[in-house]
Amino acid sequence: MRDTSATPTLEPGRRFRHRLSWLAGASALSLALSSAAALAQQAPAPRPAPAGGATSVGELVVTAQKKSENIQSVPISVSAFSGKTLEAQKIEGGPDLLKGVPNTSFTKTNFSGYDLTIRGIGTEAVSVTTDPGVSVNLNDMPLIRNRLFEQEFFDIDRVEVLRGPQGTLYGRNATGGAVNVITAKPTGTFAGEIKGEIGNYASRRVSGFVNLPIIGDKLDLRIAGAWTQRAGYEFNSTTKDSIDGRDLWSGRVTLGFKPSEKVHGYLIWEHFNENDSRERSGKQLCTRDPGPTSVGDVHNLSTLASAFMSQGCEDVSLYSPSAFGTPNGLSIPFILAGVQNTQTIGIDPRTFNAVNLLKPIDPYGDQMQSTNLRQIASLFDPTYRAKADVVELIVNWDVSDHLQLTSETDLDWDNYFSSEDYNRFNTIPGVFNSSTGLLNNDLTGPAPNITPHGVYCDPQLGCSSTIAGLDESRAKSFQFSQEFRLSSSFKGPFNFSLGADYTYYHTDEDYYVFFNIITALAQSTGPVGNSSANLSKCITPNGNVATVTPTGNVGCVYIDPNPLGSINGLGHNYFRSQNPYKLESEAVFGEAYYNLTPTLKLTGGLRFTRDIKTFSPIPSQVLLSSADGGTVDGGYPTLLDIKQYFPALTGRLAIDWTPQIPFTTKTLVYASYNRGYKAGGANPPGIGYSTQPFIPGLPPLVQLFSYPAIFKPETVDAFEVGAKNSLLGGALIFNVGAFYYNYKNYQVSQIEDRTAINENFNAKVWGVEMETIWQATRHLRFNAQIGYEGSRLASGSQSIDVEDRTQDNPAFTLLKANEFIPSNCVVSTAFVAKIIQYDRANGLSDDANLGEICPGSILSLALPFQPTMADLPNGGRGFFANVSGHSLPNAPPWTFSVGAQYDLDLPGGWRSSLRADFYHQTASWARVYQDPIDRLRGWSNVNLRLTVAPPSGRLEVEVYVKNLFNQTAITGAFINSDDTALTTNVFTNDPRLIGASLKVRW
């Protein structure tokens, strides 16, 4: 996702037992399908040297096929990390996994999400009904809503990363792969550990566990926990506060039980809690688009006319110095409405002219931002709260000596809230005109004094003389999953695993955007205004004074009078996208394993899954009332449920061979085919405009371009070959693999018309991977992972690019609409010039009719002449961008990591270990369009770690540095909507971290 030329100039400063649950069903088969090189990264502690002198790498047991196996015997692409390896390589949470797994990338995304991409496949679609491309599992149980990117690993047995689509045993709908976090389980030995850590950014950490035998080998208890607190990585120059800090803790209680020799299992409860200033999205970048000074033969355009032809931010590299600018604020439709004569606050008693709500100035003042990616200028500091509880019950029953029945039950409650400044860059004061002393429109008395002395007091955002914006993202969810599985361990050539699972999940995700200017528009006089200083009152279209309520229809916008912390969620003075969603999924699956010969094994599996998805569309209602194109004055009516059924048959076919090769200790060669599937879903609804005629005989006030209510499921046929080799008496592990995917309907989305439009693309993905561990001497170990992947969208792939709607066609011009139309449009340059020439000839301002040109609004009927179809390409949306042959987003072609560890015996029996890890990924693209703004440079990371321990091994002192060279890399980018100027939210890695810890064991 980024090339090695980085951005230094842009900066200053998780053994689980046997098989899994439902996920087991989907993932194991998928695993074989994705069988590329499989690598187990072992604990770094040295082992006794064999006769040859060099120590062996050792074994790591995994359960990628729902049974315990040496990773080198599993014909599946799986990278595994023991708890000790995670600690040694400083893989402290989900975002760090990319540093040890080939062809993997990670970035946060908007709306509280993240994108973990494996072999180019992740989660590029934005919808509550979207399934993650990479399944995340806790002890083999899939968690649809999870805390992978926030929660830190603690008391972990191992983490397994399954690469490739999962079709039989693991991972419902996981077309990219699966991450399985296996927690440490209680044993019959009293033991414990506590670790304290300090570091820069005032970092403090405590983690540990205690293992308690209770009743012989019948009952054991393990209690573990972790706490982190630190100051922020970023600085808010407006509030002078450190932000993006951490205050989080996790706890886990595991009860191991064995009531008989044939029954054993675990009851697990894990809790996560966070309350801090974590940023959901980072700095917002923009290269200001000033707009043209001429159009066609019309020159010297006015400032407002130019603003109508500006998209706010230009399509320029995020690494350009100009990217640290601010948008052309006048190009934002709701600001244009406040500047023009459409929204006024009264009559000037001296001139008897109408006074507009806003001054004709850019509220961002054409200012530049700090070039430090870790510094923002925001009126509000971010707030972040998350809480999750997971309860798991795993029971294994040995039905006979060779049959085992497993039941896995999961309950998951998750709550989340985040708020931050919508813009996060500089604004200027004095943008509101003063309403003090103005007359009302009929000159019979004073006008509503809504902006006294140029200050507007928003009920949610407070009083300000400048633009203020804030967004909130919140969600509540619940999940229940149950899986039963029967597996065999016969001594003959045939074995099997059969299972069934059920998942129920429901959630309600809410996203709000508050802008004081929007509320002010609702209070001013004009097409959307209430014309009242009293939030509960308004002057109706027929001139009467009425009370505005959330359930009334008097024709005025209902303004929520409550402060931010206690809003009722019914106001139309803010944007709200509410997304209730319910899922029921059931599946039956099975795999059969047959040894054709002692060295040749055939694996076949099938899975039938049926997903039932129910989505309740609730259109957004900002600035709408029953009189201005909406259906209600307040509240958010729910449309009919969209209920979708997605049945799918997937499976896996694999063959593996263990030949006797003279120069290897053990070799496994395998080939597999895997069919992956991910269900489709429903697009979030658009705007709640009325479909009834605004005036009898005329069309509705607004008719937006029609988008599909649903998006298609995606499928992948994956082919893979690989070899796992143990050489030099077990001192060297060398695994290689190659894969090829034929992808249908990959789900990708972008923001259009204030909603997420999910599209489907066909693609090809291919690549090779290599993983190796070499125990060179008793003291010296090396490991390396190299991944190459290529991807190509199918011929004929096309999509509207919001960054380049004209596709650089000089005969057409991008144009802003009025406040009712959320997206930009494209119109022939000749038509725009003709309209402006008409305005000038009739003594009107250049911008007088520009807000009516974009199609979709009844206001277009007021134009002096109408555009033809030829003037409005694709109905005015613009030209399709040809993305044939383009790469998939967030898929760097090359990933590379290498590590070295030297263990040294010190005098007096003391031991020391020095480790260095290097990671690099090459440049990639943030979107499929591959515009200049989409290019993400490659980046690198270097970690160093030194530990010292006395002979007893009960103490360990550690010092470390992460991101040694303090590189600030942009790991991902998200482009906002047309009507908020196409600003770009960027996401960055962590800065250089220095720390020391002391660990005590008993």
Side-chain angles (χ1 to χ4, degrees), residues 40-44 47 57-60 71 80 82 85 733 773 781:
Q41 299 186 14
Q42 267 68 272
R47 301 175 181 271
V57 167
E59 295 185 359
L60 184 64
I71 192 170
S82 69
T85 300
I733 299 297
I773 306 173
R781 170 180 288 212

Side-chain angles (χ1 to χ4, degrees), residues 955-978:
L955 296 176
E956 182 180 86
V957 177
E958 172 198 47
V959 293
Y960 66 86
V961 181
K962 296 181 67 174
N963 191 4
L964 176 65
F965 299 108
N966 200 27
Q967 184 181 47
T968 302
I970 298 176
T971 63
F974 186 95
I975 294 176
N976 290 308
S977 57
D978 286 300

